[in-house]
């Protein structure tokens, strides 16, 4: 009993002390030795990293660029699981805006403007993967534990509003002399660059809705014409210097996904896909020398020239994985160019939203008749040239191609290269009938083919989305791609929705996909 009374006395003493100091329980539990708030700039940096999409993952197999040939590391099947969600990142977007205001920023400030951009960027990314998604009720905390699903159309309509607001607020900020934002890993804080990203994303999203051009609420062609036709109000990227691209820094252990430390694992566990390599060689495209290596069986055993386009061969994505593994071991396929992608820790910048894609998106919109008087060929040519320049291919001149020659060991990639000087001429490349812009439906196919080539290793699933809505280029299937010989059209919803948000989850499936979470279901924007 004595101990109980002693404890009670201690509690009473603490209670009196607390009352006399007028401190709340929350104040008493604050750890003064740790930061209790994260500045907006640090949250911004985290959001940028969360939103970044890297190469060398499953997306490249889905895009039919770069295939797994060894099942321990992955496969090439279209048996999609759950889509990626960004709700935690979106919560941080809201917190970033709150922290900016708490630090004394005015209502219109850089973090608020780019917060609207990231809402549009991440909500539409989730919708492109899955279809209808929770959006308007998704971030309400305890008041939104079972959010309804917003229609895909509504997600895009709201996203266009966010992007319109972001552009207008950035215009206001820049005019007032506020030109920078802290915590920026892409542009060193340059808000004028971010304004171009905002409008470039909007053009991308309008193209995603190409099948819905007649919908008055979306006003796809009208929005496109307003943006492209008024660069003063809606600045767009004008060169590769405007690319939103992720740059790797070895000093911070931020390595390119392919690098000289994982060459022994990745150097031969994957090989190039015929969808990508076949299109390059069909067009006599010099980008094949920068991104791929010739098949060593053809060069060493069949004595073909290593600089002949016929020496570059990709595997059919539909091949049984066991067959592909054997053929890859026999050096019958081209591999990723190991000099370019494996000889350093930093590789190359990875474009998230970039000028080559924008130029080709504008060319596509003009080809579709969305801008009266627009010149599709000008943008088409600009997109090709920007993509070729990314690889260091000169407009006219010589390109030094490096092809890996295995030495006594294949676990390092520091030497052992055959070097070839390859003449490159953009004019000769463009003069080919298959490349020179033809206009009409043929021209549309050419634009889409060049967009596919320009998106190699960039922008996540954009190449797949473009194929999904247009059928260009042709994606192949077979035993290795699974899913009954079909290219899946969507990802499933997170499994947690089935149990935690059952009614809304089931209502979304019923309204879209006949009640099933079907990876072959056709979402709104594809109808």
């Amino acid at each position: 009993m004595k101990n109980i009374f002693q404890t009670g006395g201690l509690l009473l003493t603490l209670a009196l002390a607390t009352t006399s100091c007028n401190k709340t329980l929350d104040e008493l539990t604050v750890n003064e030795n740790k930061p209790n708030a994260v500045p907006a700039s640090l949250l911004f940096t985290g959001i940028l990293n969360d939103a970044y999409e890297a190469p060398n993952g499953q997306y490249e197999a889905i895009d039919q660029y770069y295939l797994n040939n060894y099942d321990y590391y992955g496969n090439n099947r279209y048996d999609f699981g759950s889509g990626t969600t960004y709700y935690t990142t979106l919560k941080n977007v809201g917190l970033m805006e709150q922290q900016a205001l708490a630090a004394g920023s005015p209502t219109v400030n850089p973090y608020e403007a780019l917060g609207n951009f990231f809402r549009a960027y991440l909500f539409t990314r989730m919708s492109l993967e899955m279809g209808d998604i929770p959006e308007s009720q998704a971030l309400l905390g305890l008041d939104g534990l079972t959010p309804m699903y917003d229609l895909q159309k509504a997600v895009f309509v709201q996203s266009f509003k966010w992007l319109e607001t972001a552009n207008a607020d950035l215009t206001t900020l820049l005019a007032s002399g506020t030109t920078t934002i802290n915590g920026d890993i892409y542009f060193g804080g340059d808000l004028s660059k971010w304004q171009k990203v905002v409008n470039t994303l909007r053009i991308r999203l309008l193209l995603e809705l190409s099948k819905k051009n007649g919908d008055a609420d979306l006003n796809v062609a009208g929005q496109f014409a307003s943006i492209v036709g008024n660069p003063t109000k809606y600045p767009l990227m004008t060169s590769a210097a405007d690319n939103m691209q992720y740059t790797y820094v070895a000093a911070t252990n931020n390595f390119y996904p392919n690098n000289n430390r994982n060459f022994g694992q990745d150097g031969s566990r994957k090989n190039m896909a015929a969808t990508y390599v076949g299109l390059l060689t069909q067009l006599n495209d010099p980008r094949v020398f920068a991104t791929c290596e010739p098949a060593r069986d053809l060069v060493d055993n069949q004595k073909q020239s290593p600089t002949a386009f016929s020496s570059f061969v990709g595997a059919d994505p539909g091949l049984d994985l066991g067959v592909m593994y054997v053929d890859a071991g026999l050096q019958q396929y081209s591999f990723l160019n190991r000099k370019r992608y494996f000889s350093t820790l930093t590789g190359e910048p990875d474009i998230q939203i970039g000028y080559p894609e924008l130029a080709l998106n504008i060319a596509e919109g003009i080809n579709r008749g969305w801008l009266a008087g627009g010149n599709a060929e000008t943008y088409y040519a600009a997109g090709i040239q920007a993509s070729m320049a990314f690889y260091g291919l000169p407009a006219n001149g010589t390109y030094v191609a490096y092809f890996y020659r295995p030495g006594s060991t294949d676990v390092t990639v520091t030497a052992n290269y055959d070097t070839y000087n390859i003449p490159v001429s953009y004019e000769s490349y463009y003069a080919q009938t298959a490349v020179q812009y033809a206009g009409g439906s043929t021209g549309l196919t050419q634009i889409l083919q060049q967009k596919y080539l320009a998106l190699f290793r960039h922008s996540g699933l954009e190449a797949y989305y473009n194929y999904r809505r247009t059928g260009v280029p042709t994606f192949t299937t077979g035993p290795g791609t699974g899913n009954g010989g079909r290219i899946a059209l969507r990802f499933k919803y997170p499994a947690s929705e089935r149990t935690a948000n059952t009614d809304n989850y089931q209502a979304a499936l019923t309204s879209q996909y006949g009640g099933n979470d079907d990876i072959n279901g056709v979402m709104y924007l594809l109808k």
Side-chain angles (χ1 to χ4, degrees):
M1 294 295 291
K2 181 179 179 181
N3 289 337
I4 294 175
F5 283 117
Q6 285 180 336
T7 303
L10 177 61
L11 291 174
L12 179 61
T13 301
L14 286 174
L16 291 172
T18 300
T19 303
S20 64
C21 294
N22 293 319
K23 286 191 175 182
T24 67
L25 181 61
D26 287 342
E27 289 174 317
L28 285 170
T29 56
V30 170
N31 186 341
E32 301 288 351
N33 297 314
K34 292 184 178 181
N36 298 301
V38 179
S41 59
L42 190 58
L43 286 163
F44 183 51
T45 303
I47 291 162
L48 296 178
N49 279 295
D50 288 348
Y52 148 70
E53 294 180 292
N56 201 44
Q58 193 61 26
Y59 286 176
E60 291 195 302
I62 294 171
D63 292 337
Q64 297 201 358
Y65 285 135
Y66 188 33
L67 305 173
N68 298 286
N69 62 36
Y70 188 55
D71 59 5
Y72 181 83
Y73 295 105
N75 59 56
N76 309 309
R77 298 176 67 88
Y78 285 90
D79 300 327
F80 288 173
S82 299
T84 305
T85 60
Y86 295 93
Y87 290 111
T88 298
T89 305
L90 285 161
K91 288 179 182 177
N92 286 336
V93 169
L95 183 59
M96 173 184 72
E97 294 172 327
Q98 293 171 21
Q99 291 299 107
L101 292 174
S105 296
T107 303
V108 175
N109 64 74
Y111 297 104
E112 169 270 335
L114 294 186
N116 283 322
F117 164 77
F118 276 101
R119 287 188 183 88
Y121 190 31
L122 298 179
F123 274 118
T124 57
R125 188 185 292 180
M126 291 189 288
S127 182
L128 284 164
E129 289 193 16
M130 294 174 278
D132 297 353
I133 57 169
E135 181 261 295
S136 58
Q137 297 180 1
L139 303 173
L140 300 180
L142 294 176
D143 294 327
L145 295 179
T146 56
M148 72 172 192
Y149 282 59
D150 293 84
L151 299 177
Q152 186 171 58
K153 174 181 173 178
V155 172
F156 274 78
V157 168
Q158 178 59 59
S159 294
F160 291 139
K161 292 178 181 177
W162 280 323
L163 292 174
E164 181 71 22
T165 299
N167 178 67
D169 288 351
L170 286 168
T171 296
T172 299
L173 290 166
L174 290 166
S176 69
T178 301
T179 60
T180 60
I181 184 171
N182 293 326
D184 180 13
I185 63 174
Y186 283 106
F187 300 114
D190 188 341
L191 289 180
S192 67
K193 297 284 190 182
W194 275 107
Q195 187 174 24
K196 294 178 180 180
V197 172
V198 166
N199 297 313
T200 297
L201 173 65
R202 192 164 169 185
I203 293 296
R204 173 194 281 181
L205 296 180
L206 289 169
L207 266 297
E208 302 285 9
L209 294 166
S210 62
K211 292 181 179 292
K212 297 300 180 182
N213 182 34
D215 189 300
D217 295 326
L218 293 168
N219 188 25
V220 172
Q223 287 193 68
F224 179 90
S226 295
I227 296 166
V228 178
N230 191 348
T232 301
K233 182 177 180 180
Y234 298 104
L236 288 165
M237 294 178 176
T238 57
S239 73
D242 296 327
N243 287 347
M244 178 185 170
Q245 59 186 30
Y246 194 91
T247 301
Y248 300 87
V249 182
T252 61
N253 293 322
N254 181 16
F255 304 147
Y256 190 71
N258 299 111
N259 59 72
N260 57 26
R261 294 187 181 181
N262 63 26
F263 171 69
Q265 174 179 308
D266 287 355
S268 61
R269 300 305 188 195
K270 298 182 179 183
N271 50 256
M272 305 309 297
T275 311
Y276 174 66
V277 178
L279 182 56
L280 286 168
T281 57
Q282 172 191 329
L283 299 175
N284 296 319
D285 195 312
R287 282 172 283 190
V288 77
F289 301 120
T291 62
C292 308
E293 295 174 356
R296 279 294 168 186
D297 177 62
L298 295 177
V299 174
D300 294 343
N301 301 324
Q302 309 302 320
K303 306 305 179 184
Q304 287 188 192
S305 168
T307 62
F309 287 106
S310 60
S311 294
F312 293 81
V313 180
D316 184 337
L319 273 180
D320 177 88
L321 202 63
V323 174
M324 191 185 299
Y325 176 72
V326 171
D327 291 346
L330 294 172
Q331 304 293 306
Q332 293 181 1
Y333 303 132
S334 295
F335 290 98
L336 200 65
N337 191 294
R338 283 170 272 203
K339 171 67 172 178
R340 182 176 189 89
Y341 295 108
F342 284 102
S343 62
T344 71
L345 291 172
T346 53
E348 65 187 22
D350 190 56
I351 301 172
Q352 307 297 296
I353 301 174
Y355 175 70
E357 179 198 352
L358 170 67
L360 292 161
N361 279 340
I362 294 175
E364 181 182 344
I366 294 173
N367 176 279
R368 292 182 180 277
W370 296 355
L371 179 65
N375 189 326
E377 184 173 16
T378 297
Y379 289 101
Y380 170 73
I384 296 173
Q385 289 174 305
S387 177
M388 293 178 70
F390 178 85
Y391 296 107
L393 292 161
N396 285 285
T398 301
Y399 177 74
V400 180
Y402 297 89
F403 300 140
Y404 181 62
R405 169 72 64 182
S408 59
T409 175
D410 288 345
V411 297
T412 60
V413 61
T414 56
N416 304 325
Y417 293 107
D418 294 334
T419 304
Y420 298 89
N421 294 320
I422 299 172
V424 176
S425 169
Y426 169 75
E427 285 80 3
S428 296
Y429 174 67
Y430 192 80
Q432 298 178 96
T433 301
V435 178
Q436 188 170 16
Y437 183 67
S441 60
T442 300
L444 179 59
T445 298
Q446 291 173 315
I447 292 167
L448 295 168
Q449 288 176 334
Q450 291 294 335
K451 193 186 305 185
Y452 179 75
L453 297 178
L455 286 168
F456 177 68
R457 311 219 88 188
H458 302 302
S459 303
L461 288 169
E462 274 309 303
Y464 160 74
Y465 293 146
N466 276 277
Y467 159 78
R468 187 177 66 175
R469 72 180 173 88
T470 67
V472 179
T474 301
F475 279 21
T476 58
T477 61
T481 53
N483 192 31
R486 294 169 291 181
I487 303 293
L489 295 179
R490 61 177 292 273
F491 292 80
K492 293 181 179 181
Y493 291 115
S496 59
E497 286 291 282
R498 187 183 307 114
T499 54
N501 193 14
T502 305
D503 291 343
N504 290 314
Y505 164 77
Q506 197 58 53
L509 293 181
T510 299
S511 66
Q512 296 175 96
Y513 310 121
N516 300 309
D517 202 353
D518 183 6
I519 61 174
N520 300 301
V522 182
M523 62 179 63
Y524 163 79
L525 59 75
L526 297 177
K527 295 178 181 178

